[in-house]
Amino acid sequence: MKRYRWLFVGLWCVLASIGQGQADAQDGVRAAFSAERGTLLVGEPVELVLSVAVNEGVQAALPTIPSDWPPFQVLWAGEVSQESDGGGVIYRQRFHVTLWQTGDFATPETWVQYRLPGVNEPFSVRVQPAYFTVSSVLNEDDLLPRPYTPPLSRLFVPTWAIAAAAALVGLGGTLGVRNYLRLRAQGEKRDQTPISAGETALLELRRLAGEGLQPEQTVIHSGTCLRQFVEMEFGVPASEMTTQELVAALERGSLLPSGGLQALQGLLERIDLVKFAGLRCERPTALQIVRAASDWVVSVSEKRQRDLE
């Protein structure tokens, strides 16, 4: 008897879901989430698009998605756009979201309300979810122990070598002081023009590209150069802010055009993945980020110079 009862309940659920799908199709309302990719790393941003297609005359209200949207964190939400599509309308809203856990995830259950022509009662349709897989960078099958690095032998330097090096340093210092005093007596003056914030940042970025640092350290130092440039150029305490706080402060002050602001946000988010999420990268990728940071500094410096002229 129990078997037939559960069979009846299951059949009723299937018929109800089919009826709901047919009702939505008859009403001409279709809603779904879509993403540019479904496989992510921990903390890696991904673009999520909410699309709602309705027939002509149907009014739809897109839901408000909060920044804390478990298990997702919404980094950015765009404006709702709409376009005509064969006698109907398609509403779209773009989001930048991220996941901070490993595993398989789907977007939370979301509903869109709509009204049919000539009907005051609102209806709801469930948004088809998007699915994601966040894999771990750790290899669970790797059980090989990692021993400590063996100690290195100490370098022995003879006393006479230390004395000779000290004498050379002292001689070089004496000659340097004499040369400085001679040049000063002759009245030679060096150019005291202060170096700009953009020139300082470009010099540091070029130095990073030429040093033999690890790729991850190169990327992290390039982010420090960008924040110091923004701090010197716009008077914003960028070194003490998160990427989101910095972008919001620049946007509130209208200190950068939208294109420059989005480019800075994209750069800092890529750097944050390396700095905080432990994302590994190769040297060509690190040099590409350094070049992108240099191009951004040049673009902003030139625009600021044109505005001053």
Side-chain angles (χ1 to χ4, degrees):
M1 190 68 179
K2 287 186 178 180
R3 181 183 306 173
Y4 291 112
R5 183 175 60 185
W6 285 112
L7 179 61
F8 175 76
V9 171
L11 180 61
W12 181 84
C13 292
V14 171
L15 292 176
S17 63
I18 294 175
Q20 178 65 33
Q22 291 178 347
D24 295 338
Q26 291 175 357
D27 293 344
V29 179
R30 299 172 302 280
F33 283 115
S34 61
E36 56 185 347
R37 60 186 182 280
T39 302
L40 308 175
L41 296 175
V42 174
E44 182 179 9
V46 64
E47 184 175 82
L48 183 67
V49 181
L50 171 59
S51 302
V52 180
V54 300
N55 287 342
E56 184 176 2
V58 178
Q59 298 180 350
L62 270 64
T64 300
I65 295 180
S67 59
D68 186 12
W69 195 39
F72 295 85
Q73 180 184 0
V74 179
L75 305 175
W76 171 82
E79 299 293 333
V80 178
S81 63
Q82 63 181 44
E83 61 183 53
S84 300
D85 180 35
V89 177
I90 297 179
Y91 298 89
R92 286 192 177 91
Q93 187 174 13
R94 301 179 183 276
F95 304 88
H96 289 173
V97 301
T98 188
L99 287 160
W100 295 102
Q101 306 174 37
T102 58
D104 297 324
F105 302 94
T107 51
E109 185 176 85
T110 307
W111 295 83
V112 173
Q113 290 192 345
Y114 64 94
R115 293 179 184 272
L116 299 175
V119 179
N120 293 328
E121 180 183 359
F123 297 91
S124 297
V125 59
R126 182 175 179 269
V127 181
Q128 294 298 318
Y131 299 92
F132 299 91
T133 298
V134 181
S135 58
S136 174
V137 297
L138 301 177
N139 185 2
E140 297 179 355
D141 299 328
D142 186 5
L143 302 179
L144 181 66
R146 300 292 190 267
Y148 289 109
T149 302
L152 301 176
S153 59
R154 298 179 61 183
L155 178 64
F156 173 75
V157 181
T159 306
W160 64 265
I162 297 176
L168 288 175
V169 171
L171 180 60
T174 302
L175 293 176
V177 171
R178 287 182 178 178
N179 187 52
Y180 169 76
L181 294 176
R182 180 175 60 83
L183 293 177
R184 185 176 180 181
Q186 292 176 356
E188 293 185 6
K189 297 181 180 180
R190 295 185 177 181
D191 186 13
Q192 299 297 324
T193 303
I195 187 171
S196 65
E199 293 172 338
T200 301
L202 290 175
L203 287 174
E204 184 64 15
L205 289 170
R206 293 192 187 102
R207 184 186 65 80
L208 281 176
E211 287 188 348
L213 297 175
Q214 293 293 329
E216 292 79 10
Q217 291 299 317
T218 300
V219 172
I220 293 172
H221 286 315
S222 65
T224 303
C225 292
L226 280 175
R227 291 179 178 274
Q228 290 176 349
F229 168 75
V230 171
E231 192 163 352
M232 295 172 63
E233 190 71 21
F234 300 105
V236 177
S239 301
E240 304 173 2
M241 293 180 171
T242 64
T243 297
Q244 299 302 318
E245 291 172 346
L246 175 57
V247 171
L250 293 174
E251 188 175 15
R252 285 195 303 270
S254 300
L255 300 176
L256 278 174
S258 59
L261 192 61
Q262 292 178 359
L264 175 62
Q265 182 177 5
L267 272 172
L268 292 180
E269 286 178 349
R270 291 183 65 184
I271 294 169
D272 287 346
L273 287 175
V274 176
K275 185 175 182 180
F276 299 112
L279 181 66
R280 304 296 299 272
C281 65
E282 301 295 333
R283 182 164 179 77
T285 303
L287 294 179
Q288 182 183 10
I289 293 176
V290 172
R291 285 193 295 270
S294 300
D295 293 340
W296 185 84
V297 170
V298 170
S299 175
V300 172
S301 299
E302 289 178 352
K303 185 180 184 305
R304 295 275 291 179
Q305 184 64 31
R306 288 195 301 270
D307 293 343
L308 292 176
E309 294 175 355

